Amino acid sequence: MTTLLGYRSLVQEAAALRAGADDPVAAVHRSCDRIDAVDPQVRAFVPEAGRRTRLLEAARAAAGAREAAGRPALYGVPVGIKDIVHADGLPTRAGSALPPEVLGGRQATVVDRLCAAGALIAGKTVTAEFAVTAPGPTRNPHHLAHTPGGSSSGSAAAVAAGMVPLAIGTQTVGSMIRPAAYCGVVGFKPTYGRIPVDGVIPNAASFDTLGCYATDVAGIALAASVLVDGWRAQQPAGPGPRPVLGVPVGPYLERAGDEALGAFTAQREVLRAAGYAVHEVPVMDDFEQIVAQLFTMNRYEVARAHADWFARFGDVYRPETTAAIRQGHTIGDTDYEAACQRRKAFRARLAADRATAGIDLWIAPSATGPATADLTTTGTSIMCLPWSNAGLPTVSLPAGHAANGLPLGLQLVGTFGEDEELLTAAAGIEDVLNAAPNARSGSRTS
């Protein structure tokens, strides 16, 4: 039986392709063979007739156009693209039943940047309908009866199953970080606005952020160097002081389930033993109000993003998306503006709490627990909500397993605009977690 899990290092594949030890045609065959073998069960990619033929043409064109010395960072690397992101030659369906020609638009800047870096677009990956909450057909490659998360379900599952070494997703509330945790891969949501979102169908414009998945932090850093505006190259973390980590105790952290909290306790102890200072910081006593503020803004913006399409095609929208849009119709301009002001105050307060506590990164569970055995839901985004609300860069690292063997994730949250520093710190923490088997327990230890 073919295993549904696979590991493909973006850094290793990209280096081999640039050096000529591998070639784009072989990379295409590798991806297409893997898609043919496992995607009928995982269903991470939007079906595409002639995928291999299209990609082989692109690979041969790439191979014939460049000498080794001029090969860019992602030369010949197959990449999955979430199906709310426009890519020339591939229809955008957004997980919906709307006519693709209605949803079409110019190729997204993120795809332009991938192509300029030599990447090959392996195809569109499945999304929840319009990146809201109605699940697509994707299954979790760790266990097909469990959700892969959402809304970037296909992108996370495609990397976890070894179909591609890199995939693009988006996050409005928890759509990058939660699938990364559920599928056992590394997910990165940059600071809001650091990857242009033109050419991407909006969910809620005040939150929508493009991100990426890979199997390790080094792969994420390579992709980020191509995709993120104004990327600043970083030196590997040296023997100097480690970042100070903050645990956001209070009503927010209490939303995590017992298995997630048990694993998180073990992870904190491992990090302390490795020399990290870990401080508990009481924050977000008004967490219920923060949740309400975010969803006031989110639903208002979803409704207005879909005003034209919903008026014309509302009868083919799925119930979950319809409910979100109809909720947005009930929110007036005054309530929306008040919510925007509350978010501004929240962001300032959270930044002040971090500065007062003297911490460099927040750490928290990436999700409330492992992926549920329920394909009718993508899970809850609550553990990602405050950080998305603040527009902060976040990373989810694979960090142990639950009692049923499904992955858990550790979420690292950086400072606004300091994505480079976040990924440098994440690489060090990844090394510590990978070397510590006692960080793998999901049983409650405190």
Side-chain angles (χ1 to χ4, degrees), residues 274-298:
Y276 287 87
V278 183
H279 300 322
E280 293 191 348
V281 185
V283 288
M284 296 184 275
D285 286 343
D286 59 340
F287 188 61
E288 290 298 330
Q289 288 72 40
I290 295 167
V291 173
Q293 166 261 302
L294 179 138
F295 279 105
T296 295
M297 294 180 64
N298 177 288

Side-chain angles (χ1 to χ4, degrees), residues 66 72-75 77 79-82 85-90 105-121 124 166 168 195-200 210 223 225-229:
R66 295 184 184 274
L74 300 179
Y75 170 75
V77 173
V79 181
I81 305 292
K82 184 176 180 177
V85 180
H86 296 316
D88 289 349
L90 296 171
R106 121 172 241 291
Q107 178 163 285
T109 292
V110 68
V111 179
D112 291 341
R113 290 181 180 180
L114 287 167
C115 293
L120 305 175
I121 307 306
K124 292 296 195 74
L166 174 66
I168 302 301
I195 301 178
V197 294
D198 61 288
V200 180
L210 280 154
S225 71
V226 168
L227 301 177
V228 174
D229 280 345

Side-chain angles (χ1 to χ4, degrees), residues 235-242 424:
Q235 296 299 318
R242 297 185 182 275
T424 298

Side-chain angles (χ1 to χ4, degrees), residues 162-178:
M163 296 184 229
V164 287
L166 174 66
I168 302 301
T170 65
Q171 177 157 309
T172 301
V173 184
S175 301
M176 287 292 310
I177 297 302
R178 183 173 76 262

Side-chain angles (χ1 to χ4, degrees), residues 393-421:
T394 53
V395 172
S396 179
L397 300 179
H401 296 82
N404 61 6
L406 289 172
L408 298 167
L410 176 65
Q411 185 174 198
L412 313 178
V413 184
T415 302
F416 195 95
E418 295 185 6
D419 305 58
E420 296 87 347
E421 290 79 2

Side-chain angles (χ1 to χ4, degrees), residues 95 128-136 298-299 302 310 314 316-328 374-378:
E129 185 183 51
F130 289 113
V132 186
T133 59
N298 177 288
R299 296 309 189 229
V302 167
F310 192 71
V316 300
Y317 276 68
R318 293 176 63 184
E320 299 93 330
T321 315
T322 296
I325 291 169
R326 292 202 185 283
Q327 183 181 358
D374 184 354
L375 296 173
T376 69
T377 176
T378 61

